[in-house]
Amino acid sequence: LNFGMQVQVPKQKLPLHFDIGLGLDAIGAHGYGTMKGWWENPLGVKGVKIGPALSLQIGIVYSVFIATGLPGEFGFVGGLALGDVTGEMALQISEDPTDEILMGKVAKLSPKNLMAFASQITTLDLNKIVGVPNFFEIEEFELYFAPAGGSIGTVEFERGVGFSCYLNLFGYRLGAEARIA
């Protein structure tokens, strides 16, 4: 059973899309809720965006749930943008280790980015007050572990394992990347 809808958020041009699903069979049940799109300035917090996909999924195997009260799977996907810094993460824990997913991403993180966000929240020009040097910048850090691929809600993950990171440190650019598909 799947259900979707568009929700127009006040003071935002693009609507958010929500999907809700429930699945039942003889062995177990699972359900999920997914939001797709960027929610800008959530709850009135300026400079913050949540998205591009948020999802929560839970599944149970009836016999295990009755005996222990524990779910058979749990998954979460989320993203957050604070000023110029964007990050995403995903985690799925399952009784079957091949169904597990772990993903984390950060794009362009530096002391300058952090100070700009803090200045925006406090409405003070903290860079003038504190004067943080910009001696490093992390670009496109990603950790990815989805040996069998899969999905959390309606967010799909390709099969693979990998790591990548590019770092600008004292004027030098260093990088490392490894992928197994």
Side-chain angles (χ1 to χ4, degrees):
L1 182 65
N2 295 310
F3 174 73
M5 66 180 174
Q6 300 274 6
V7 175
Q8 188 62 49
V9 179
K11 301 180 183 177
Q12 184 170 312
K13 292 179 184 179
L14 297 175
L16 298 174
H17 180 81
F18 289 87
D19 292 312
I20 300 169
L22 178 63
L24 303 169
D25 61 27
I27 297 170
H30 73 274
Y32 68 86
T34 301
M35 178 194 87
K36 289 192 176 174
W38 284 103
W39 182 11
E40 299 171 8
N41 304 321
L43 309 172
V45 180
K46 293 182 181 179
V48 174
K49 294 191 309 185
I50 297 174
L54 293 179
S55 192
L56 182 62
Q57 176 174 302
I58 191 163
I60 62 169
V61 175
Y62 300 131
S63 60
V64 174
F65 187 73
I66 290 170
T68 66
L70 297 173
E73 69 175 356
F74 175 80
F76 172 81
V77 175
L80 183 66
L82 305 172
D84 294 336
V85 179
T86 303
E88 297 178 47
M89 69 164 289
L91 173 68
Q92 178 160 295
I93 301 168
S94 175
E95 288 184 329
D96 183 355
T98 62
D99 291 339
E100 294 182 346
I101 297 171
L102 175 64
M103 185 273 297
K105 279 186 195 179
V106 175
K108 290 194 178 181
L109 178 64
S110 70
K112 183 179 177 182
N113 297 124
L114 296 172
M115 195 58 67
F117 177 71
S119 294
Q120 187 173 2
I121 295 268
T122 62
T123 66
L124 298 171
D125 190 355
L126 295 175
N127 200 27
K128 284 184 181 177
I129 297 169
V130 179
V132 174
N134 203 28
F135 60 93
F136 79 91
E137 180 179 65
I138 296 171
E139 293 180 9
E140 301 303 322
F141 171 83
E142 181 178 4
L143 175 65
Y144 191 87
F145 181 83
S151 64
I152 301 173
T154 58
V155 181
E156 297 287 329
F157 293 88
E158 292 182 15
R159 181 175 56 147
V161 176
F163 168 82
S164 65
C165 182
Y166 296 93
L167 175 66
N168 294 317
L169 184 63
F170 298 110
Y172 295 98
R173 187 163 197 259
L174 310 167
E177 186 170 334
R179 300 239 182 257
I180 301 172

